[in-house]
């Protein structure tokens, strides 16, 4: 009878129970996540802006767009458009 040499019965010393591939996958995901976190933090530090301010700014821009669309379609009058635009500019 030919049996594999060594105490691991042919599995190799890192794969003793056969579940080593799963831990390797978790470790790979961990390192990818860690690298992505570091890249995100560095990018955030260099831009000088946080996510909240950029979301608020895009929300304000969208509000201007909606207001202009409503004015262009005739839903609101010129006076109402100017009043709402002034309100957006002073609260945003």
């Amino acid at each position: 009878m030919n049996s594999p040499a060594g105490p691991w019965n042919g599995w190799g010393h890192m794969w003793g129970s056969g579940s080593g591939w799963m831990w390797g996958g978790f470790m790979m995901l961990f390192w990818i996540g860690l690298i992505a976190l570091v890249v995100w933090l560095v990018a955030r530090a260099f831009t000088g802006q946080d996510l909240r301010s950029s979301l608020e700014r895009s929300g304000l821009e969208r509000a201007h767009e909606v207001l202009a669309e409503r004015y262009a379609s005739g839903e609101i009058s010129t006076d109402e458009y100017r009043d709402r635009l002034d309100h957006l500019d002073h609260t945003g």
Side-chain angles (χ1 to χ4, degrees):
M1 176 170 164
N2 289 337
S3 64
W8 306 292
N9 296 327
W11 284 97
H13 81 108
M14 295 288 291
W15 306 95
S17 66
S19 64
W21 65 270
M22 186 172 61
W23 290 112
F26 287 137
M27 195 57 124
M28 184 175 64
L29 289 174
F30 168 77
W31 284 111
I32 289 172
L34 184 64
I35 291 169
L37 177 65
V38 168
V39 168
W40 179 74
L41 288 172
V42 168
R44 184 176 170 192
F46 281 114
T47 60
Q49 297 176 357
D50 62 317
L51 183 60
R52 179 181 292 171
S53 67
S54 64
L55 287 176
E56 287 173 357
R57 185 176 42 244
S58 66
L60 184 60
E61 289 172 2
R62 180 65 186 136
H64 278 113
E65 289 174 10
V66 170
L67 187 59
E69 289 170 6
R70 291 186 64 198
Y71 178 66
S73 69
E75 289 182 46
I76 58 176
S77 67
T78 302
D79 291 335
E80 190 174 3
Y81 171 75
R82 288 181 183 156
D83 184 48
R84 290 183 183 196
L85 188 62
D86 186 53
H87 180 72
L88 278 176
D89 291 338
H90 286 88
T91 59

